[in-house]
Structure formats: C-alpha cells, structure tokens
Amino acid sequence: MSEAFPILYKCDYMKLMITPAEVALMAFGGENALPGGVVDEAVILSAQQKYIKPVLGGLWEALEAGKYADLLAGYVKPALAQWVRFLVLPALSARAGNAGVVQYGGTMFTAANDKALGRLLRRARGNAVALTRALVENIEANGPLYPEYSVKDNI
C-alpha cells in the first residue's frame, strides 16, 4: 500500500478503549460465541470514531490519556461494546473471503434472513443508543468531575 494512503487502524494516534475479548464478553456472552477475527481492531476503532468520540468531545482525549478509569469501565466500554456488536452483526450473517461473499451453511445452522438480521440490528442499535445516553447523562450529572466535557461538543 502506498504511503499516500495509510491504513487508518494502524495509526499511532488512535488508542483502543476496549479489547476484542472485552467486546466478546460484554456484547456476545464470551469469546466462544464468536468466530475468530470477527471483532478486530478496525471495527473497534470505527465504532469509537463514529459513535463515542463525537459525543465526548474534549473528554475523549482525557480518556485516551488514562484519566477517568471508572467512567471508562462503567459507561464507555459497555456502550462501545454494543456499538461494535451493531457493526459486526452483518458479518455474522455473511462474510467476505477468498470465495467471495458467503453465508454460513453448517448442518445445524443457517444464516439469518434479512428480516431477522434487521431485528437484531435494531435491537443492538437500541441498546447502544441507550448506553450512550446513560454515559452522557452520567457525565452531565457530574459535570464538575469532567471539566474536559462540553455539552456543545456533543453531537
């Protein structure tokens, strides 16, 4: 790959706020519930950039610097895990690989149809939104504890 097009998820300035193992546990019930490689750094970084960082504004940099461990563990990670779930659910129904886009066709399972996948996605998004709201409500209720946060930065 050309240096003109760096790989986004390998940039030094981006820090993972949750590990793939933590996502598997919080959002899927454990690592054994997922095929390997479904939750990777790229999808976690994408969820962080799309759904959590814009809500936190300046507080994000404080979290990256290691401040507010309780906020991270109690609010940020659960919300982030649900956003990652939302992003990876389609990959559990169909996967792209050497043979193209394929669906799992084992003897015991069949891939979810579009209607079932849509229900799962709506539920995952609803959970993620609720946990993100709880995160923001906690921060706003305890404003003096988080001086880096500004309501006007929250999109």
Side-chain angles (χ1 to χ4, degrees):
M1 178 166 264
S2 166
E3 291 299 317
F5 299 102
I7 299 173
L8 177 64
Y9 64 91
K10 292 296 181 186
C11 293
D12 292 334
Y13 61 86
M14 298 175 73
K15 178 180 178 184
L16 286 179
M17 292 297 182
I18 193 169
T19 67
E22 289 172 313
V23 170
L25 182 63
M26 292 179 171
F28 293 96
E31 289 185 36
N32 293 334
L34 292 172
V38 171
V39 176
D40 61 11
E41 289 184 12
V43 74
I44 292 171
L45 290 170
S46 179
Q48 288 178 181
Q49 291 296 107
K50 287 180 179 180
Y51 303 110
I52 303 295
K53 186 176 179 181
V55 170
L56 297 181
L59 184 56
W60 179 259
E61 285 76 26
L63 287 167
E64 281 187 315
K67 292 178 77 174
Y68 312 120
D70 289 343
L71 181 69
L72 180 65
Y75 289 91
V76 175
K77 285 184 178 188
L80 183 53
Q82 291 301 315
W83 282 118
V84 172
R85 177 182 173 88
F86 174 72
L87 292 178
V88 302
L89 278 173
L92 297 174
S93 179
R95 299 190 82 181
N98 292 340
V101 178
V102 297
Q103 289 183 315
Y104 179 69
T107 58
M108 301 295 287
F109 300 100
T110 58
N113 62 32
D114 289 344
K115 187 175 180 180
L117 179 59
R119 283 193 306 265
L120 286 171
L121 285 169
R122 282 189 299 279
R123 182 176 177 195
R125 186 178 186 285
N127 290 341
V129 167
L131 290 170
T132 303
R133 282 190 186 137
L135 164 64
V136 171
E137 288 170 3
N138 177 67
I139 293 167
E140 290 178 356
N142 298 289
L145 296 176
Y146 308 109
E148 299 89 348
Y149 178 77
S150 172
V151 174
K152 66 182 177 191
D153 289 339
N154 179 349
I155 63 161

